[in-house]
Amino acid sequence: MYAAFRPQLNAAAEGNQFENAAKLPRHQDVVRLVPTHGTGAFVGIFHGTLQDRGRKLFHVGGSWFPADRYRIDLLRWPDVGSDLHEHTGTQSIGIPDGIHELLPGPAADFCGYSALHCVIVGSVSQTQAESETLVAVTASSPPIALGALLRARAVRDIARQYRSLVLPSGDDPEKYRVLVTKRSPAVTILDGAASVCRWLGSGMAPMAIALVERHGASSEAAADLLEGHRARSLRDLPLPAGLAQVPSGIEVVAWQNRETSL
C-alpha cells in the first residue's frame, strides 16, 4: 500500500506545497492540513494562500497556517461538501503504535492523506470485521490491525482518512464507476464470485484481482467470465518493485482487461 502512495500536490519531503496550493480555487474545497511534524491535523474550507514579508501561509477555515509546517490533503470524495463543512476543526491523524517500522517515509504522510488506491468490492460488514485482524510487524513492536494498513472506508463515512474504499457487491456498479475512476485507484479487488459476476466489467481500475471461492454457488459463472477477459502470457511477469515477497504456496494472479493498459 505504501509503494503506491504519493502525497497530493507533489509535496516535497518538508512540505512546500505553496505554489501548487495557490492554484486551487478559493472557497470551494474542504482540505485537511497534515503537519510535517506531529499528529494534530486541521480540517476546514480552503480560502487561499498569502505571501507576506517572506512568510508563506495557508488560509484554511478562518485561520492562517505556515505553509512550511503543513501539507494539504484534498477531501473531495466520497464526501459531500455540505457534510464536510459541518466537520471542521482540529482532529488527530491517528497513527497506530508500531506502524513506523513498516514505512520508509513519515507515518504522518501515510496516515494523513486520503489518496484512494484500492477498491474492495464485497461484503462491507465482513471486510470491516476482517480488517480488525492483528498482524505482526517486527519482534520488537506491537502488532497492529490490518485496517491500519488498508484504512478501509465505507462510502459514507464522513471526513475520515482512507486508502481503500469498500463498496457493496450487491449495488449497481454504475452508481460508483464515474466517481471512483476520477480518483484513479490502482486496483479493484473483487471479493467473491458474486462480486466478479456483477463488477468485473465496471472499469473501476486498470487492474482487477478476483477472489473466487470454489464452493460458491456462482463460482462456475465467475470462472467463465474471467476466462473471457483473460490474455495468456508466455512468461511469468515480475512482481512490482517494493512489493513484499509472496509466501510459499501462494500464487498471485492479476487479471487485466484486454481493452485497458497499465
Side-chain angles (χ1 to χ4, degrees):
M1 301 305 292
Y2 187 89
F5 170 65
R6 295 293 182 272
Q8 298 177 36
L9 300 184
N10 299 318
E14 294 300 327
N16 192 23
Q17 288 182 305
F18 186 81
E19 287 74 14
N20 288 327
K23 301 175 184 178
L24 293 176
R26 300 189 176 194
H27 317 297
Q28 178 175 319
D29 293 318
V30 178
V31 301
R32 177 185 292 108
L33 292 181
V34 180
T36 55
H37 301 285
T39 60
F42 186 88
V43 175
I45 303 172
F46 179 76
H47 295 300
T49 61
L50 173 67
Q51 185 169 0
D52 180 42
R53 299 179 182 178
R55 296 189 307 164
K56 296 180 178 180
L57 303 171
F58 296 140
H59 189 195
V60 176
S63 301
W64 296 96
F65 298 86
D68 59 347
R69 298 181 187 177
Y70 293 90
R71 293 193 246 179
I72 291 179
D73 176 30
L74 299 176
L75 299 177
R76 289 176 173 166
W77 191 85
D79 302 294
V80 176
S82 58
D83 293 337
L84 284 169
H85 284 41
E86 300 173 1
H87 292 77
T88 58
T90 303
Q91 61 177 223
S92 172
I93 295 178
I95 300 176
D97 294 336
I99 199 172
H100 299 79
E101 301 292 338
L102 276 179
L103 307 175
D109 280 357
F110 185 82
C111 297
Y113 284 85
S114 297
L116 174 63
H117 292 291
C118 175
V119 177
I120 303 171
V121 181
S123 169
V124 175
S125 59
Q126 182 176 349
T127 301
Q128 291 176 335
E130 291 175 348
S131 69
E132 299 300 321
T133 303
L134 296 179
V135 293
V137 180
T138 67
S140 60
S141 62
I144 62 175
L146 181 61
L149 302 177
L150 291 176
R151 286 168 52 204
R153 171 181 180 161
V155 71
R156 279 300 169 208
D157 293 334
I158 301 299
R160 176 182 167 193
Q161 300 97 324
Y162 71 104
R163 186 172 310 285
S164 306
L165 184 67
V166 182
L167 299 178
S169 60
D171 276 4
D172 185 351
E174 293 300 322
K175 291 174 57 178
Y176 308 104
R177 183 159 59 113
V178 173
L179 293 174
V180 172
T181 53
K182 285 182 178 179
R183 297 306 298 267
S184 303
V187 63
T188 302
I189 299 175
L190 306 177
D191 187 6
S195 299
V196 172
C197 291
R198 181 181 288 267
W199 288 75
L200 184 61
S202 61
M204 293 281 185
M207 181 176 291
I209 296 178
L211 307 177
V212 180
E213 62 276 14
R214 296 291 182 181
H215 56 80
S218 54
S219 59
E220 291 189 6
D224 291 341
L225 187 59
L226 288 169
E227 179 69 24
H229 284 74
R230 186 173 66 179
R232 297 183 181 275
S233 173
L234 298 179
R235 60 185 177 86
D236 291 335
L237 298 177
L239 293 175
L243 185 67
Q245 292 299 313
V246 179
S248 176
I250 302 297
E251 182 180 6
V252 175
V253 181
W255 299 88
Q256 182 178 350
N257 194 312
R258 286 172 176 161
E259 283 75 30
T260 62
S261 59
L262 291 176

